[in-house]
Amino acid sequence: MAGDVHIGPVTTYVEANVRPWAEDPLIIEALKGHNERHAHLTPSDIDRMDAVWRAELSSNAQPLIDSVTGSPLSKFLKGKQAASGGAITEIFVIDAKGLSIGESETSSDYWQGDELKWQRTYLAGPGTLFVDRAEKDESTQMLQAQASLTVSDPQTHQPIGTITVGINLDAL
């Protein structure tokens, strides 16, 4: 798929298959809980946590990574990925500070707040969907794109986080 031709099919897929997750109580409550626990974090705290995550990637001891990937939210996301029949390659739920709180696949970093997937959704407000450029994954050789959408509190309608999914474009 050349240029931006993937945006329409990815948008259609995400609206039909992923958007409903933004209202799932498990995702809503996980985001609210993490936002409350992470409210005090400074940029320096976040940098330190991200450095710990990156160091743990090459270590046998991975307490921070395990706290995210072993959570009920991550188990839920792994189930959603498995049920996609290969269309979804990864799923992340990211809190109000840009920290990954649930993952179907272990990411290379903990802080996503410096990336477009968080900036163009969470910061843009409720209802936002951002489809990033298509890229060939070197390890899998799949053509894929990430799509991200804002998750809002059902009571206040204010953004509380983001869901990002990697979409296998060859599966659409």
Side-chain angles (χ1 to χ4, degrees):
M1 293 186 178
D4 293 337
V5 298
H6 70 286
I7 292 175
V10 169
T11 298
T12 299
Y13 181 87
V14 169
E15 291 295 346
N17 299 287
V18 179
R19 171 96 46 204
W21 307 348
E23 296 175 8
D24 190 286
L26 180 66
I27 291 176
I28 299 293
E29 293 309 314
L31 282 166
K32 286 180 172 182
H34 277 268
N35 287 343
E36 195 173 301
R37 285 192 298 282
H38 291 163
H40 71 282
L41 295 178
T42 66
S44 295
D45 294 333
I46 291 169
D47 287 345
R48 275 193 297 280
M49 293 170 83
D50 193 48
V52 167
W53 182 281
R54 290 171 189 261
E56 285 183 7
L57 286 171
S58 59
S59 172
N60 290 332
Q62 300 180 323
L64 178 58
I65 292 172
D66 291 345
S67 74
V68 173
T69 60
S71 72
L73 175 58
S74 290
K75 288 176 176 51
F76 171 84
L77 300 176
K78 289 173 187 175
K80 292 292 190 185
Q81 180 178 336
S84 78
I88 296 175
T89 60
E90 59 188 354
I91 311 168
F92 307 104
V93 174
I94 305 163
D95 74 5
K97 293 280 188 175
L99 297 170
S100 185
I101 67 161
E103 301 183 349
S104 66
E105 303 289 332
T106 304
S107 64
S108 60
D109 57 350
Y110 183 49
W111 187 53
Q112 310 296 320
D114 60 339
E115 298 181 28
L116 291 177
K117 64 180 140 211
W118 184 81
Q119 295 170 351
R120 292 220 178 146
T121 54
Y122 180 80
L123 297 178
T128 304
L129 172 63
F130 167 66
V131 179
D132 210 342
R133 68 186 181 280
E135 295 181 328
K136 189 171 196 172
D137 184 287
E138 291 307 315
S139 61
T140 65
Q141 295 300 302
M142 280 189 292
L143 189 59
Q144 60 184 14
Q146 285 190 336
S148 303
L149 54 98
T150 306
V151 178
S152 297
D153 183 308
Q155 278 79 42
T156 67
H157 306 288
Q158 295 302 307
I160 57 173
T162 298
I163 298 171
T164 295
V165 293
I167 303 292
N168 173 2
L169 300 179
D170 296 327
L172 295 184

